[in-house]
Amino acid sequence: MEHYNVDQKIQDFIAKIEAKNPNEPEFLQAVKEVAVTVIPFIASRPQYNGMKLLERMSEPERTIIFRVPWVDDQGEIHVNRGFRIQMNSAIGPYKGGIRFHPTVNLSVLKFLAFEQTFKNSLTTLPMGGGKGGSDFDPQGKSDMEIMRFCQAFMTEMCKHIGPETDVPAGDIGVGAREIGYLFGQYKKIRNEFTGVLTGKGLAYGGSLIRPEATGYGVVYFAEQMLKTIDQDFNGKTVTVSGFGNVAWGVIKKVEELGGTCVTISGPDGYIYDKDGITGDKIDYLLELRASGNNRAEDYVKKFPGAEFHAGKRPWEVKCDVAIPAATQNELDLEDAKILVENGVVCVTEAANMPSTLEAINHFLEHKVLFSPGKASNAGGVATSGLEMTQNSIRLNWSSEEVDTRLKEIMIGIHKACRDYGKEEDGYVNYVKGANIAGFVKVAEAMLAQGVV
Ligand code: GLU
């Protein structure tokens, strides 16, 4: 048999993806991270060879780009761009959030949809991968402007989604309020009350624990990581970035497990609260987020014992566990070096792709426990999957029931990552483990369904 060089295969694959998707750095970053771990695996499995599985997974099944015109409170007309990337439906209807943020573009949403495919597969629930959003900036908009924008967005998107086709949810800039407006418009146009969106309010088909789920899931996952080195959260100092829904859930659960979170951050800088973000301070995070200011600095006005570090990231604060929970590429090689020097033992990603490839490699080289968002933040979408189940059976589960299932799912994902990611010296490479475990289920479904 001809001896082929796997490194060459990886390089050829990446060159093709680069040529086909110019000007899409985030998408290329996400695909590269997967390619270096999955291509050697494919090469070792004759049944996958030559089936162009990763090539197929890297091309969205469908990309929808649309105009979103809306009128502000002063009567001025605005035009935003709307997107829905329907990435892969091999294992279930497309599933993934909607992001409203000025940085949204095709590259960002393709990276998110690509990661979502692997993430959803890891949950073991029947959900394909998708992602959508708009370059609309919710900051400073009135409630009525948000409503009109959501209605305008859904007026087009409702033609492409449905409970058996594509089920969007929230992401950055899209929370319970936006999901409510999106749902209302879908119901009005389609004349259907269905589980077409997740993250809904409890009064109209939402699931208990969904708001907390991403953050809780991250901490359940980190708990399993720590367990591999016979440690737990008790007494640990934890640094967290962001101050959105995910950071809030993380901080709540860490406190419950005996650890202390000492930072949050916003686009303006980070907060260091040496006494810990505990008790009332955790509830205040919800207020801070709802204020719509997007400024972490407001925290020190309320809690003067804390420090605000303008324009900086929280990774310079000494910690045992670091949990990036803000956005993509918020932790680079320099940050990774500081964290390692300061003795971090575990980095658990809560955002999607918060670490650069160079930062990830630094953690892996130094054998720090490191898990990629697609594994450790999968609790959010997993609980969306549980919301879909509850909608289908027309029943609501208790908090305990949802939380128990969420925890089981996170433990299962951790085990899958461990099974595929354990190296000879016992170190678990969670990046490799997550990519391969996520790939296998999608690959098997695609093989069974033929070249479609
Ligand atoms: N936006 C979340 C994520 O990145 C949740 C998606 C969902 O619930 O569909 O996974």
Side-chain angles (χ1 to χ4, degrees):
M1 203 177 84
E2 190 195 335
H3 177 78
Y4 53 80
N5 179 334
V6 176
D7 286 341
Q8 190 59 49
K9 278 202 156 190
I10 296 171
Q11 277 176 30
D12 292 349
F13 172 81
I14 291 172
K16 265 195 205 161
I17 298 288
E18 271 172 358
K20 210 166 184 180
N21 304 278
N23 309 315
E24 294 183 11
E26 294 86 0
F27 177 60
L28 291 172
Q29 183 182 339
V31 175
K32 273 184 201 167
E33 186 220 280
V34 166
V36 294
T37 48
V38 167
I39 291 177
F41 176 76
I42 294 175
S44 71
R45 295 288 190 286
Q47 74 271 31
Y48 296 150
N49 256 311
M51 299 309 293
K52 299 272 162 76
L53 289 163
L54 201 53
E55 283 83 345
R56 287 195 260 162
M57 286 182 202
S58 307
E59 186 66 23
E61 288 178 14
R62 194 173 297 104
T63 301
I64 302 146
I65 305 182
F66 50 98
R67 179 171 73 200
V68 190
W70 60 282
V71 182
D72 71 17
D73 291 344
Q74 283 69 47
E76 195 180 325
I77 297 169
H78 297 266
V79 180
N80 283 98
R81 187 169 290 170
F83 301 86
R84 186 71 185 163
I85 316 293
Q86 298 183 330
M87 198 74 186
N88 194 299
S89 62
I91 63 169
Y94 308 107
K95 179 85 196 85
I98 301 278
R99 178 177 291 192
F100 290 164
H101 195 269
T103 56
V104 162
N105 58 35
L106 189 59
S107 171
V108 168
L109 293 181
K110 276 174 68 180
F111 115 65
L112 288 163
F114 180 77
E115 292 234 316
Q116 198 82 43
T117 303
F118 290 77
K119 183 193 316 199
N120 294 2
S121 165
L122 284 168
T123 68
T124 70
L125 301 176
M127 301 181 290
K131 203 85 188 191
S134 175
D135 57 358
F136 172 73
D137 186 358
Q139 210 183 317
K141 303 292 187 295
S142 72
D143 190 41
M144 287 297 107
E145 287 173 333
I146 297 282
M147 183 183 79
R148 286 196 294 275
F149 180 79
C150 289
Q151 291 174 340
F153 185 86
M154 185 53 94
T155 300
E156 178 59 33
M157 198 176 62
C158 74
K159 300 170 191 164
H160 311 284
I161 63 173
E164 313 295 340
T165 315
D166 185 352
V167 183
D171 196 81
I172 294 171
V174 178
R177 173 179 64 165
E178 290 73 20
I179 292 293
Y181 293 146
L182 291 164
F183 184 82
Q185 184 75 351
Y186 180 90
K187 184 167 68 64
K188 171 144 181 131
I189 299 177
R190 300 282 296 255
N191 197 22
E192 279 171 13
F193 192 111
T194 58
V196 66
L197 290 157
T198 61
K200 300 185 291 297
L202 290 177
Y204 61 99
S207 174
L208 288 162
I209 302 290
R210 179 64 190 90
E212 293 90 342
T214 311
Y216 279 17
V218 166
V219 179
Y220 293 148
F221 195 93
E223 212 183 2
Q224 295 301 310
M225 295 170 81
L226 290 170
K227 212 169 151 187
T228 65
I229 52 166
D230 293 324
Q231 295 193 24
D232 59 31
F233 268 104
N234 210 9
K236 291 265 186 304
T237 299
V238 182
T239 50
V240 179
S241 61
F243 64 87
N245 190 46
V246 178
W248 167 71
V250 165
I251 295 170
K252 250 175 98 154
K253 189 51 84 179
V254 167
E255 181 185 45
E256 223 179 281
L257 297 180
T260 311
C261 293
V262 292
T263 64
I264 52 162
S265 70
D268 52 339
Y270 79 89
I271 295 290
Y272 172 55
D273 189 335
K274 63 175 182 339
D275 302 324
I277 302 166
T278 54
D280 291 354
K281 295 173 182 170
I282 302 179
D283 301 331
Y284 169 73
L285 293 182
L286 293 178
E287 259 177 65
L288 186 64
R289 179 171 172 241
S291 73
N293 277 341
N294 219 7
R295 276 201 344 237
E297 189 178 3
D298 291 357
Y299 183 100
V300 276
K301 291 188 194 139
K302 183 96 178 166
F303 305 107
E307 295 165 14
F308 174 65
H309 296 264
K312 293 198 157 178
R313 295 159 162 177
W315 315 126
E316 60 188 26
V317 175
K318 190 173 162 49
C319 65
D320 305 303
V321 180
I323 304 188
T327 193
Q328 65 267 12
N329 293 329
E330 52 158 317
L331 194 163
D332 63 18
L333 180 59
E334 289 313 305
D335 301 315
K337 283 182 180 166
I338 297 171
L339 281 162
V340 172
E341 269 166 37
N342 281 340
V344 72
V345 293
C346 178
V347 180
T348 306
E349 289 190 341
N352 290 313
M353 207 170 75
S355 310
T356 63
L357 286 174
E358 296 76 20
I360 295 176
N361 288 336
H362 191 74
F363 292 132
L364 298 182
E365 275 161 26
H366 289 80
K367 308 268 175 193
V368 168
L369 294 174
F370 171 83
S371 80
K374 63 168 82 76
S376 37
N377 78 21
V381 75
T383 308
S384 280
L386 300 177
E387 182 173 331
M388 289 167 75
T389 307
Q390 293 170 77
N391 293 162
S392 298
I393 61 173
R394 298 184 191 282
L395 278 175
N396 297 317
W397 291 333
S398 66
S399 302
E400 292 72 28
E401 171 127 29
V402 179
D403 197 23
T404 304
R405 287 178 190 269
L406 166 64
K407 194 163 185 179
E408 274 168 11
I409 290 170
M410 297 316 295
I411 293 173
I413 298 173
H414 182 269
K415 184 178 179 307
C417 292
R418 221 179 155 181
D419 289 347
Y420 283 108
K422 200 162 186 167
E423 294 183 341
E424 274 168 19
D425 60 359
Y427 173 70
V428 182
N429 180 337
Y430 289 92
V431 178
K432 182 174 153 195
N435 288 340
I436 297 176
F439 171 83
V440 167
K441 185 180 176 192
V442 180
E444 290 297 329
M446 288 176 75
L447 282 179
Q449 292 167 23
V451 180
V452 288

